Amino acid sequence: MCSVCGADQSLKAWLDYGTKYLQARQIADAKTDAWLLMEYVANITRNFYYIHMHEPMNENDVADYLDLLSQRGKLVPVQYLTGEAWFYGYSFKVNQHVMIPRQDTEILVEEALKRIKSGMKILDLCTGSGCILLSILKEASVLGVGTDISQEALLVAELNRKRLGVHTSWIRSDLFENVEGRFHMILSNPPYIPSAVIPKLEPNVRRYEPLLALDGREDGLYFYKKIVDEARSHLSPGGWLCLEIGYDQKDCLKNMLKRYGYTKVKIIKDLAGNDRVVVGVLNVQKL
């Protein structure tokens, strides 16, 4: 018998233990994370738990639970431990080769869907887990292509494509390097954190999420400059460019799009009131 919980080896006792363990290590969402890890290792639902909470937890599950609690206590994100993250109402596979999808990024999906028409062809640069493109493909009748410089990220994206049951294609490409043709819409959530800021990020982000998906070079604008410029050769006349941006990049991105000939430029805030997305239309006369 494991001595951690004494004589009481019930699911409830272990969940209480997990919560206290994570709280002692200053994990902000200790109670939620303790449950998510138990749900994962024991393969149970909330309903099952409430009916069987006083029954003993399987010994093998206990060992796995303790291991995951230890890793979470060292700030490994819970999504990487369970291999799953929720985005726009869909479950996505994730690992340390892709960024964990954020709720803020759902604003990019929402704004894209407002402008999408059936039959459009869309391109998602820096696709990562594929969560942006695949969510759109689940919601709209469009054709999609996703690119990423990381082959490991594209393998995750393909797992998610199969998981969601949609059709798309992936291209390993440094932005537009291997992209051909034109699209009605180009989307991207590129790396946009200035290099000097990376060491100041929260430990769970800077230690475990891929640097390749975070580092926007010296001023955080490196990838935006390339995308905004080169997208003009890959957008159909009147096509939309939709980008996630950092909370303090509004003026830079707004001016950048206008300078490169985009019209109807608009900044959209996220639910917290932070500037989150910039959109613009390619001006036909500027082609």
Side-chain angles (χ1 to χ4, degrees), residues 116-120 136-143:
I116 279 175
K117 295 180 181 179
S118 181
M120 277 187 169
I136 290 172
L137 292 176
K138 288 292 288 186
E139 299 289 326
S141 299
V142 295
L143 302 174

Side-chain angles (χ1 to χ4, degrees), residues 174-177 186 225-235 262:
D174 184 357
L175 297 182
F176 294 100
E177 180 184 23
I186 296 176
K225 293 171 184 175
K226 292 179 69 69
I227 292 171
V228 172
D229 180 12
E230 297 175 23
R232 297 180 297 173
S233 299
H234 294 278
L235 273 172
Y262 294 84

Side-chain angles (χ1 to χ4, degrees), residues 6-264:
D8 189 353
Q9 299 292 304
S10 68
L11 289 167
K12 182 180 184 304
W14 281 114
L15 183 58
D16 290 343
Y17 169 80
T19 300
K20 292 175 182 178
Y21 180 92
L22 296 180
Q23 286 174 339
R25 285 151 184 80
Q26 308 300 311
I27 302 300
D29 298 316
K31 187 174 183 179
T32 298
D33 290 357
W35 162 252
L36 290 173
L37 295 177
M38 174 172 283
E39 178 185 48
Y40 172 68
V41 299
N43 192 27
I44 59 175
T45 64
R46 279 286 189 184
N47 285 341
F48 181 94
Y49 171 79
Y50 287 127
I51 295 172
H52 302 277
M53 59 194 297
H54 296 297
E55 296 178 9
M57 190 172 177
N58 178 279
E59 289 186 9
N60 292 330
D61 291 344
V62 167
D64 291 340
Y65 189 54
L66 289 173
D67 177 58
L68 293 183
L69 285 173
S70 175
Q71 293 186 61
R72 183 67 187 111
K74 297 173 184 175
L75 303 182
V76 179
V78 69
Q79 294 90 342
Y80 288 154
L81 294 176
T82 64
E84 179 184 45
W86 286 85
F87 179 83
Y88 212 74
Y90 301 107
S91 170
F92 289 88
K93 288 288 186 182
V94 294
N95 61 29
Q96 292 185 27
H97 296 297
V98 299
M99 280 189 64
I100 298 168
R102 265 71 170 179
Q103 185 178 17
D104 292 340
T105 304
E106 294 181 1
I107 304 298
L108 179 59
V109 174
E110 291 174 357
E111 293 301 318
L113 288 172
K114 291 177 183 178
R115 294 161 175 83
I116 279 175
K117 295 180 181 179
S118 181
M120 277 187 169
K121 186 178 181 182
I122 62 177
L123 173 68
D124 178 29
L125 299 170
C126 310
T127 196
S129 67
C131 64
I132 295 171
L133 177 61
L134 296 174
S135 296
I136 290 172
L137 292 176
K138 288 292 288 186
E139 299 289 326
S141 299
V142 295
L143 302 174
V145 177
T147 77
D148 205 287
I149 194 172
S150 167
Q151 184 63 36
E152 291 83 2
L154 292 178
L155 292 175
V156 176
E158 175 61 10
L159 288 175
N160 285 320
R161 183 198 67 77
K162 294 177 179 178
R163 187 180 181 91
L164 270 67
V166 296
H167 298 285
T168 189
S169 59
W170 310 110
I171 302 173
R172 186 178 184 184
S173 180
D174 184 357
L175 297 182
F176 294 100
E177 180 184 23
N178 298 318
V179 175
E180 298 179 354
R182 290 187 180 269
F183 300 82
H184 299 100
M185 178 180 287
I186 296 176
L187 308 105
S188 185
N189 177 17
Y192 58 72
I193 300 174
S195 299
V197 177
I198 299 292
K200 303 175 185 177
L201 295 175
E202 294 182 1
N204 59 304
V205 176
R206 71 171 187 266
R207 292 180 190 171
Y208 299 107
E209 299 207 46
L211 180 63
L212 196 64
L214 297 170
D215 194 345
R217 309 285 178 90
E218 184 177 0
D219 59 1
L221 300 174
Y222 174 83
F223 294 100
Y224 290 119
K225 293 171 184 175
K226 292 179 69 69
I227 292 171
V228 172
D229 180 12
E230 297 175 23
R232 297 180 297 173
S233 299
H234 294 278
L235 273 172
S236 300
W240 284 95
L241 180 64
C242 306
L243 305 170
E244 178 167 334
I245 63 174
Y247 73 95
D248 57 352
Q249 296 174 323
K250 174 183 72 173
D251 293 336
C252 291
L253 267 297
K254 194 172 185 178
N255 293 335
M256 190 185 300
L257 262 68
K258 290 181 177 179
R259 187 167 65 250
Y260 280 96
Y262 294 84
T263 61
K264 299 183 181 179

